[in-house]
Amino acid sequence: MPRWKQIPFVRILPAFLSGILLQWYLPVSLSLIARGLFVALLPLLLFACFRPGRQFQFRWLPVISIHALLVMIGLWVMVLQQHRNGSPDTHWRETDYALLIEGDWKQGPRSYKNQVRLWQKDRSIRAWLYTSKDSVFLQFPRGSWIQARVSPRTIAPPANPGSFDYKTYSLHQGITHQVYLKADQFRLRKKGDPAGLAWVLDYCRQRVLEIMRQAIPGKQEVGLAEALLIGYKDDLDKDMETIYAQTGVVHIIAISGMHLGLIYGLLLLLFKPLKNHTQGRWLRAILIIAALWFFSLLAGGSPSVLRSAVMFTAILLGEAIHRKGNAINSLAFAAFALLCYQPYWLGDIGFQLSFAAVLSILVFYPLVYRLFYFRQKWMDAFWKLNAVTLSAQVLTFPLCVYHFHQFPTWFLAANLVAVPLSNIILLGEIGLCALAWWDWATQFTGFILFHLIRWMTQWVSFVNQWPFSVWEPLFISWCQTILLYLLIVIPFLPFNRIRKIRLFLFCLMLFMGERTYNLYQAAARNQLIIYSINGKRAMDLRTGRTIQFLGDTGVITNRSTFSFHIRPCRIQNRIANEIKAVTDEIISIKWKGKTIGFLSNKSSIDKLPAKLDLLIISHDPIIDPGEVLEKLQVKMVVIDASNTYKTVRRWKKSSVSVWDVREGSYVYYL
């Protein structure tokens, strides 16, 4: 059989993905999709009416029809999901809603958070629920119904250029709105029934956490153990999570296909006696599939874990009917099945990286492994581990650069120790849960796990301190990302060598040309960027690829504030040089022929120039806006995020154009 016939889902997946993307960016109505389905079926009906000889002549008609149908199916799946979850830009009025609690409560600095479905007559949306930090909410488990008068709000887009897009992140999980609720604003209709699979999963999750916290000493080690086994990250140290990400081993503490693969191997070994029996073969497949899906749901059901669960399910069912499947086809089937369930996962970073890593290993591992040959078994095993790590990076590298703007240079060294240790730790944690009834064994296993986790953390931290441990900052556009993938794929296309070389050089020229043009644009741009950071004055004065910070000292000395709000914008603008920051009070500056004035509670309008192109208000100056506008000629007023709403209201009543930075950053172009 030709190789292309062994991978039917690989052939149908592009058309299906095209339908999802079309509906995502160019939405159409359900009635139009129904008409499209009818039109797509016409070639098949026409082909069925032909004589056999005529059918051979027009054998391309069914191919066109099937691919058109797949595009329509992708559109239909996406539009159903959009109708089910609501539009992320639709405003719902304040009224009484029935709220169904769908998740587990998570504790934040000032509130509790959960995900809910809001019902109002025959319409519903999914939303984040934020509540006051009152323990009464923790008494309502998943499945509880409450009645409340709320005002669903759309999730705000990023406040600053390049910063984390929480609105898109929520949309990828099917959540489009957010609501706020206090302890005295709701009425309980029905408390969640402690029964069924959801209750079993909650009980098992809490029991596992209880065992870990009792057996493993050390707060940091417990947090890593919980994340590694069931993906629970509430106790995970944030600084340690950053170190794991910078060294390229974050997949260890993010439940992924690697964890499920290890459990799959353990289950195969456990149920091996059933493999050679006719009736036992089906029992073995059912038991392993049930265990895999139970663990997947226990770990939170992330796209990467569900991808592995679908793939292993397909493999086990194939073995049960004596059919050997194709791994790449199984991967395409997993993508098709998961996107039929939740098409928004196509934009999820975890979904993209998981499929890219597995596909990269399946395609490139044989090529990388054959680069070196070792006769010694221990050297061969050592090279196999490195070959897997290297091959996984081929297709994940463009995505890592595009999404995270960095690449860990010492990922081989970090994974060399961390991956085997994490596998041993995961097996030890499973054994710890199995031996929870035996106190001595529990304490002994917990003691061993504590030291293994500490050794793994020490090694990862040690690698992170090596010079050039992270290659950053990196920025590529979506166009450059696609061109990078084309450069990777071209050598494997079924073309002759000359054609592949020409195509490769053409794509390389496009990549370099697009990148050069972007750098040229960045060098020719002059901006004043006023950031939206609550309670802070923060501005970047940009001249080409050189930048200078103007604002409060706390913004640049606080690493988390700077990394979240300022750094992404600088990476996006391809900043190469930074002038010494100015944190003192500034009266005015002349820049590129424009005059910009600064008015705060420590400055006076008497020192400001009479004519201003831009006036920036900071730290609630106690002065009447009318008095300022009488003495100064101001074209535009910007009120930065260091002011209170009282100051914003006073200035918005004036006769000049006013921009409130609390509603989003302000960029002044020159």
Side-chain angles (χ1 to χ4, degrees):
M1 182 184 294
R3 182 172 294 181
W4 62 273
K5 286 190 176 182
Q6 300 175 17
I7 48 174
F9 277 96
V10 175
R11 289 181 286 146
I12 69 174
L13 193 60
F16 178 69
L17 296 181
S18 301
I20 292 176
L21 292 173
L22 281 172
Q23 181 61 27
W24 197 322
Y25 294 106
L26 299 171
V28 297
S29 64
L30 195 57
S31 60
L32 191 60
I33 295 173
R35 296 190 191 101
L37 285 170
F38 177 74
V39 173
L41 283 171
L42 283 179
L44 276 181
L45 298 174
L46 186 63
F47 182 79
C49 298
F50 289 160
R51 298 190 304 272
R54 197 75 167 169
Q55 285 182 346
F56 180 78
Q57 185 179 358
F58 290 94
R59 58 188 180 277
W60 46 269
L61 270 178
V63 177
I64 294 176
S65 181
I66 289 171
H67 281 80
L69 281 171
L70 287 166
V71 172
M72 291 299 113
I73 291 172
L75 288 166
W76 179 67
V77 167
M78 190 65 180
V79 78
L80 286 182
Q81 192 70 21
Q82 289 174 339
H83 280 295
R84 184 171 181 265
N85 294 329
S87 170
D89 298 316
T90 301
H91 295 273
W92 286 48
R93 62 188 180 88
E94 181 178 357
T95 186
D96 288 334
Y97 291 92
L99 282 70
L100 172 62
I101 298 174
E102 294 185 330
D104 301 319
W105 292 99
K106 294 183 179 180
Q107 183 174 347
R110 292 176 294 179
S111 64
Y112 291 128
K113 175 184 173 183
N114 208 326
Q115 59 187 45
V116 295
R117 179 170 290 278
L118 277 72
W119 292 87
Q120 207 274 326
K121 295 183 179 179
D122 58 343
R123 297 195 305 163
S124 71
I125 54 171
R126 292 186 70 205
W128 294 117
L129 171 64
Y130 295 93
T131 70
S132 56
K133 212 163 186 181
D134 195 314
S135 59
V136 67
F137 292 105
L138 301 180
Q139 302 173 13
F140 305 140
R142 185 182 311 190
S144 298
W145 286 87
I146 58 178
Q147 189 80 23
R149 186 176 183 85
V150 293
S151 176
R153 303 179 187 176
T154 58
I155 301 173
N160 297 303
S163 61
F164 176 65
D165 192 346
Y166 187 64
K167 182 176 183 177
T168 302
Y169 165 79
S170 301
L171 184 63
H172 292 161
Q173 301 183 56
I175 296 174
T176 57
H177 289 73
Q178 55 189 359
V179 294
Y180 301 86
L181 194 63
K182 294 182 180 179
D184 58 348
Q185 291 180 334
F186 73 94
R187 177 173 58 86
L188 178 64
R189 291 178 54 181
K190 179 185 177 183
K191 193 172 181 178
D193 187 15
L197 180 60
W199 178 83
V200 173
L201 291 171
D202 288 340
Y203 174 80
C204 292
R205 192 177 294 114
Q206 293 302 321
R207 180 60 180 151
V208 167
L209 295 176
E210 181 183 340
I211 293 170
M212 295 293 169
R213 291 164 184 170
Q214 290 179 352
I216 301 176
K219 184 178 179 180
Q220 190 180 84
E221 286 73 18
V222 169
L224 282 166
E226 294 169 351
L228 198 148
L229 182 60
I230 59 172
Y232 184 81
K233 294 187 178 182
D234 288 3
D235 298 333
L236 186 62
D237 185 81
K238 299 303 178 185
D239 292 335
M240 187 54 58
E241 187 177 7
T242 302
I243 292 174
Y244 272 72
Q246 291 177 344
T247 49
V249 292
V250 72
H251 59 90
I252 288 174
I253 55 177
I255 294 295
S256 63
M258 183 188 74
H259 298 73
L260 203 66
L262 185 64
I263 292 173
Y264 174 69
L266 189 64
L267 291 170
L268 288 179
L269 185 65
L270 183 63
F271 293 107
K272 189 176 181 180
L274 297 175
K275 185 176 181 180
N276 299 323
H277 294 80
T278 306
Q279 296 180 349
R281 186 172 66 248
W282 277 101
L283 178 62
R284 168 180 171 271
I286 292 171
L287 291 175
I288 294 177
I289 290 172
L292 288 174
W293 279 96
F294 182 81
F295 176 79
S296 300
L297 297 175
L298 182 68
S302 65
S304 58
V305 174
L306 294 179
R307 184 265 308 157
S308 297
V310 173
M311 284 188 67
F312 290 138
T313 300
I315 292 171
L316 287 166
L317 292 177
E319 288 180 356
I321 59 175
H322 298 289
R323 292 287 300 273
K324 187 177 180 180
N326 183 287
I328 295 179
N329 190 61
S330 299
L331 183 66
F333 168 74
F336 183 83
L338 292 178
L339 291 175
C340 282
Y341 169 71
Q342 177 53 278
Y344 281 120
W345 277 346
L346 184 58
D348 184 81
I349 298 174
F351 181 92
Q352 295 172 5
L353 287 174
S354 175
F355 280 89
V358 175
L359 180 61
S360 191
I361 292 171
L362 292 175
V363 174
F364 294 102
Y365 171 74
L367 303 175
V368 176
Y369 176 67
R370 286 198 295 266
L371 291 176
F372 299 100
Y373 172 73
F374 299 97
R375 291 185 178 180
Q376 299 86 352
K377 289 186 177 179
W378 69 272
M379 282 295 294
D380 185 63
F382 174 79
W383 171 236
K384 281 181 178 178
L385 178 61
N386 284 275
V388 170
T389 305
L390 280 170
S391 58
Q393 300 299 322
V394 177
L395 294 182
T396 57
F397 171 75
L399 282 174
C400 288
V401 175
Y402 178 73
H403 288 297
F404 306 116
H405 315 301
Q406 64 180 23
F407 186 75
T409 52
W410 300 114
F411 65 90
L412 267 178
N415 279 275
L416 183 63
V417 174
V419 169
L421 264 181
S422 67
N423 289 339
I424 296 171
I425 293 168
L426 181 60
L427 292 174
E429 289 180 316
I430 294 172
L432 177 64
C433 295
L435 296 173
W437 54 273
W438 189 0
D439 291 339
W440 182 86
T442 300
Q443 296 303 319
F444 178 75
T445 307
F447 176 78
I448 298 297
L449 288 174
F450 167 77
H451 286 285
L452 289 175
I453 294 171
R454 171 165 286 189
W455 292 341
M456 182 176 69
T457 300
Q458 289 175 346
W459 173 254
V460 173
S461 301
F462 174 63
V463 171
N464 189 56
Q465 294 173 359
W466 292 2
F468 309 109
S469 60
V470 181
W471 182 16
E472 61 177 355
L474 300 171
F475 184 84
I476 57 176
S477 63
W478 64 268
C479 182
Q480 293 171 20
T481 306
I482 293 173
L483 288 170
L484 273 179
Y485 276 114
L486 287 176
L487 291 171
I488 295 171
V489 169
I490 285 170
F492 301 94
L493 295 177
F495 300 151
N496 60 52
R497 184 178 298 177
I498 299 299
R499 185 175 293 180
K500 284 194 287 190
I501 291 174
R502 288 175 179 172
L503 189 58
F504 184 88
L505 291 175
F506 177 71
C507 289
L508 183 61
M509 288 175 60
L510 285 178
F511 178 84
M512 297 304 297
E514 206 266 347
R515 185 160 183 81
T516 303
Y517 177 69
N518 287 344
L519 291 173
Y520 168 76
Q521 280 188 319
R525 191 168 293 163
N526 301 309
Q527 298 172 324
L528 173 65
I529 306 166
I530 306 175
Y531 295 99
S532 178
I533 306 175
N534 191 28
K536 302 292 183 181
R537 182 185 63 167
M539 290 164 276
D540 268 343
L541 192 64
R542 175 190 175 191
T543 306
R545 299 182 66 192
T546 301
I547 209 159
Q548 183 177 30
F549 176 81
L550 313 173
D552 297 336
T553 308
V555 176
I556 54 175
T557 56
N558 189 306
R559 188 174 64 177
S560 61
T561 302
F562 180 82
S563 299
F564 188 82
H565 295 285
I566 309 292
R567 188 170 176 272
C569 180
R570 294 186 176 184
I571 293 174
Q572 190 180 66
N573 289 324
R574 294 176 168 85
I575 300 302
N577 304 306
E578 183 179 352
I579 302 175
K580 184 179 179 181
V582 176
T583 56
D584 299 327
E585 287 294 327
I586 307 172
I587 298 173
S588 66
I589 57 173
K590 284 188 176 293
W591 181 54
K592 303 296 180 181
K594 302 290 184 179
T595 304
I596 302 172
F598 300 86
L599 182 62
S600 70
N601 56 359
K602 296 181 180 179
S603 61
S604 171
I605 61 172
D606 297 329
K607 297 180 180 180
L608 288 170
K611 294 182 179 181
L612 293 173
D613 295 285
L614 185 68
L615 177 62
I616 301 172
I617 309 297
S618 305
H619 297 298
D620 296 316
I622 307 173
I623 190 168
D624 183 49
E627 182 183 346
V628 175
L629 297 177
E630 282 181 7
K631 294 183 178 181
L632 306 177
Q633 294 182 20
V634 181
K635 293 182 180 180
M636 180 73 185
V637 172
V638 176
I639 305 175
D640 69 22
S642 64
N643 297 277
T644 61
Y645 285 110
K646 183 179 179 180
T647 301
V648 174
R649 286 194 298 268
R650 282 195 294 116
W651 276 95
K652 282 193 173 182
K653 293 178 182 178
S654 64
S655 58
V656 71
S657 297
V658 175
W659 181 277
D660 180 13
V661 174
R662 289 176 179 271
E663 299 175 358
S665 62
Y666 181 80
V667 182
Y668 187 59
Y669 294 93
L670 293 174

